[in-house]
Amino acid sequence: MRLLIVGANGMLGHDVLRAGERAGHELVAVDLPEIDITDPVAVRELLERLRGEEGSLDGVLNCAAWTDVDGAESKRELAHAVNADGAGNLARAAAAIGVPLLHISTDYVFDGTPPLDADGRPRPYVESDPTGPRSVYGSTKLEGERQVLGACSEHTVVRTAWLYGVDGPNFVATMLRLAGERDAVQVVDDQVGSPTWSGHLAPAVLGLLERRVRGLVHLTGAGEVSWNGFAREIFRQAEVSCRVQAATSEQMARPAPRPAWSALESERDDVLPMPPWQDGLAGYLAARAGHSLSGDS
């Protein structure tokens, strides 16, 4: 497949390029300044040019996003331009030339109130559960989903959560850094979600494109844990000695509210589950060690 990867310089974009190369795909990688997804004319011209070149174009994968969750609260228009209208620009341009697009979304489209199973216990959100974002970031991402899915029935939206990888700042790297600076860290224990290693997510989303899975999909590391429990597992797997103290979201308040519950799971028969989040952490730590040995960032 010949695929256009938008946002290729980001954390997930890097892993998509690695996974795509392993799978034997022909990849066209773009990011700022080569493409500005908030410019509909530039987006349309780029896709039309690629579609007209020898080899055609088989799909677009949009990893580009405004990811500054707290900054979005004060920069609503900028976040909306990228996460909502930018996603829509790509989706409409791809639809116009008959090319499927896969767009990455987030758990922040939910309000954080856990849905309950038949026994009254919290269960992960599935694709058919109602949304209700509580932050500007979540609202802009939800509008992006609507624009993408409204542009073409052949497009795909993948919601993921708690994403981390070797090519960007992330929670695991922060915890390991703090463990080298202090004896204890404070981490919230009242937010639960599904940690997702970009090294697992990248081949999974490419698989969706390969198998022509369309519509709304949830893809995260399997299972759920609190940020506090995640930190403890990070230190256990990394064999680091650092105490993890409990804190509440109120104590660690941020400008944008975080969902108290954001565990995700797919209810679809055509979506292959990803490995447990603990396996993703092990994979990340191994990849991180490999990058350190090779001198990569």
Side-chain angles (χ1 to χ4, degrees):
M1 297 176 72
R2 186 171 189 244
L3 303 173
L4 172 65
I5 312 301
V6 182
N9 292 342
M11 183 169 64
L12 178 59
H14 274 99
D15 273 322
V16 166
L17 294 179
R18 282 189 280 264
E21 288 166 3
R22 288 195 300 268
H25 297 308
E26 181 184 349
L27 306 175
V28 180
V30 296
D31 209 314
L32 289 170
E34 298 101 331
I35 185 172
D36 177 359
I37 64 173
T38 68
D39 182 343
V41 175
V43 168
R44 187 172 64 250
E45 289 176 349
L46 174 65
L47 266 64
E48 287 175 349
R49 178 171 59 80
L50 291 173
R51 185 73 170 88
E53 288 178 359
E54 185 179 350
S56 188
L57 187 63
D58 299 306
V60 179
L61 204 166
N62 180 30
C63 301
W66 175 290
T67 57
D68 181 358
V69 174
D70 290 324
E73 293 295 309
S74 59
K75 297 181 175 65
R76 177 185 294 267
E77 291 184 1
L78 291 174
H80 191 277
V82 176
N83 291 342
D85 294 338
N89 291 337
L90 279 168
R92 288 182 288 272
I97 59 172
V99 173
L101 174 137
L102 187 148
H103 172 71
I104 304 297
S105 192
T106 174
D107 55 307
Y108 279 71
V109 300
F110 294 108
D111 68 3
T113 303
L116 304 178
D117 64 16
D119 297 320
R121 295 173 300 198
R123 63 160 175 80
Y125 286 110
V126 295
E127 290 90 348
S128 61
D129 283 321
T131 54
R134 299 178 57 232
S135 64
V136 170
Y137 170 73
S139 298
T140 62
K141 292 296 287 184
L142 181 59
E143 175 59 23
E145 291 185 5
R146 291 169 175 160
Q147 291 199 33
V148 169
L149 295 177
C152 180
S153 61
E154 292 295 296
H155 290 346
T156 310
V157 167
V158 173
R159 290 178 184 149
T160 192
W162 294 23
L163 192 62
Y164 63 96
V166 294
D167 292 293
N170 64 83
F171 179 78
V172 185
T174 298
M175 288 298 104
L176 293 174
R177 176 179 58 79
L178 291 176
E181 300 171 354
R182 58 186 72 169
D183 297 327
V185 293
Q186 266 198 325
V187 184
V188 295
D189 62 357
D190 58 358
Q191 295 175 23
V192 175
S194 304
T196 307
W197 176 40
S198 56
H200 277 162
L201 182 63
V205 295
L206 287 171
L208 295 178
L209 281 170
E210 292 162 357
R211 295 185 292 111
R212 302 183 67 84
V213 176
R214 307 304 187 217
L216 185 60
V217 174
H218 285 184
L219 268 183
T220 64
E224 61 269 349
V225 67
S226 70
W227 284 114
N228 188 282
F230 189 25
R232 285 186 274 111
E233 180 66 9
I234 291 166
F235 295 153
R236 188 192 72 79
Q237 288 199 23
E239 299 181 338
V240 170
S241 179
C242 185
R243 289 180 292 112
V244 182
Q245 299 170 336
T248 66
S249 297
E250 189 176 0
Q251 288 173 309
M252 311 285 282
R254 310 270 294 273
R258 268 64 175 168
W261 179 269
S262 61
L264 304 183
E265 189 176 83
S266 182
E267 62 189 343
R268 297 179 54 156
D269 294 334
D270 57 353
V271 174
L272 304 175
M274 282 174 47
W277 65 265
Q278 297 93 330
D279 292 358
L281 175 59
Y284 166 82
L285 292 173
R288 174 185 166 97
H291 271 233
S292 298
L293 288 172
S294 67
D296 292 338
S297 57

